[in-house]
Amino acid sequence: MSTVGKDLLNIQALSKLGYGMYIIGSRKGDRLNAQVANTLFQITSQPPTVAVSINKSNLTHEFIHESGVFTASTLCQDTPLSFIGRLGFKSGKETNKLEEINYRLGETGAPIVLDNATSFMEVRVVKEIDMGTHTIFVGEVIAADVVSEEACLTYSYYQQVKRGTTPKTAPSYVMEKKEAPPVKLAKYRCSVCGYIYDPELGDPESGIKPGTPFEQLSDDWTCPICGATKADFEKLEDQ
Ligand code: FE
């Protein structure tokens, strides 16, 4: 048996934890908001209790804190990056994130997002745990249903297969990752959300075939996650 040194702290170890991808909705009076979160988990089955960790700088945090209610929708594996981008990388402080999104109000008045959902639950907060940058909201599930039997989107599928990115406010955000081995065509990074356009892979969701250089993308091409323009992309020098 080997022992681990006391000073060994490789934060990358935490990236091996498994998560799902969820839309968390809440309200404050008549105002509604929703955001993406990966840190939702079940705590007990009787009564059915879940918890979610939310960054204090997010508008949804203020709404959950004020109203004491939130909803959660589990997402299907085919959820488009643009849908996650709209709810995950835009702030509800500036835009109405729920515009053009299919949702209905639950019995608590909080919005339940139905687009791309495989299930939803409505939760009444019973406890808040202050964790510095984040608050853990613990709550009892008061309503829930399954929407579809499609496979659910996991955080690792989102990151590794769909190549989605994570905002700095997410609990699981880790600093800059090392990029894959050198390639001939230059990669470009979105300065808004961190998405990396890799010409080897193209952007299939926008109809861009693998092998298309960034320079050949049309001027109206936008970031598949956050919708930023081509001009918002920076060439990755170190590859
Ligand atoms: Fe982007």
Side-chain angles (χ1 to χ4, degrees):
M1 195 175 101
S2 62
T3 52
V4 175
K6 270 189 283 184
D7 55 354
L8 179 63
L9 177 58
N10 181 358
I11 211 72
Q12 292 295 336
L14 278 66
S15 71
K16 304 295 184 190
L17 292 170
Y19 301 97
M21 288 287 281
Y22 312 105
I23 304 298
I24 305 297
S26 192
R27 69 174 171 86
K28 182 182 175 182
D30 292 339
R31 290 174 66 202
L32 307 175
N33 197 45
Q35 68 157 74
V36 177
N38 64 305
T39 47
L40 174 80
F41 54 101
Q42 182 170 1
I43 297 177
T44 62
S45 57
Q46 288 194 335
T49 307
V50 295
V52 66
S53 177
I54 302 285
N55 190 289
K56 287 181 182 174
S57 67
N58 291 358
L59 188 64
T60 313
H61 183 281
E62 179 189 330
F63 282 22
I64 299 175
H65 179 72
E66 295 269 333
S67 65
V69 296
F70 68 89
T71 64
S73 302
T74 61
L75 295 175
C76 66
Q77 197 165 276
D78 293 336
T79 303
L81 282 177
S82 57
F83 180 80
I84 294 166
R86 189 183 315 165
L87 290 164
F89 285 91
K90 302 236 158 61
S91 173
K93 291 169 188 164
E94 285 120 45
T95 56
N96 176 8
K97 292 206 278 187
L98 289 166
E99 212 169 47
E100 294 170 32
I101 284 178
N102 180 27
Y103 69 92
R104 69 174 174 78
L105 297 181
E107 58 185 89
T108 63
I112 296 168
V113 171
L114 298 169
D115 280 340
N116 304 302
T118 52
S119 78
F120 68 82
M121 55 205 77
E122 195 170 0
V123 182
R124 244 184 237 291
V125 175
V126 294
K127 190 171 197 158
E128 287 187 20
I129 302 166
D130 187 335
M131 293 307 299
T133 56
H134 291 68
T135 298
I136 300 171
F137 294 100
V138 180
E140 186 171 340
V141 178
I142 57 166
D145 204 2
V146 172
V147 178
S148 101
E149 296 296 344
E150 281 175 76
C152 287
L153 179 61
T154 64
Y155 191 55
S156 60
Y157 187 90
Y158 169 70
Q159 291 208 306
Q160 287 158 26
V161 182
K162 295 175 89 72
R163 301 178 54 255
T165 54
T166 305
K168 291 189 171 67
T169 52
S172 54
Y173 176 79
V174 279
M175 301 296 279
E176 202 70 19
K177 288 192 196 105
K178 286 269 185 293
E179 267 308 299
V183 289
K184 273 180 264 163
L185 299 172
K187 293 178 189 175
Y188 283 76
R189 181 197 281 121
C190 174
S191 61
V192 178
C193 76
Y195 169 84
I196 291 171
Y197 177 80
D198 182 345
E200 301 271 302
L201 303 171
D203 173 17
E205 279 192 15
S206 309
I208 307 295
K209 292 198 182 87
T212 308
F214 181 83
E215 295 77 5
Q216 283 180 19
L217 297 173
S218 71
D219 287 338
D220 57 5
W221 177 83
T222 55
C223 174
I225 297 187
C226 76
T229 64
K230 212 181 152 187
D232 291 317
F233 276 71
E234 295 155 352
K235 191 174 183 178
L236 285 181
E237 300 295 344
D238 195 21
Q239 38 181 320

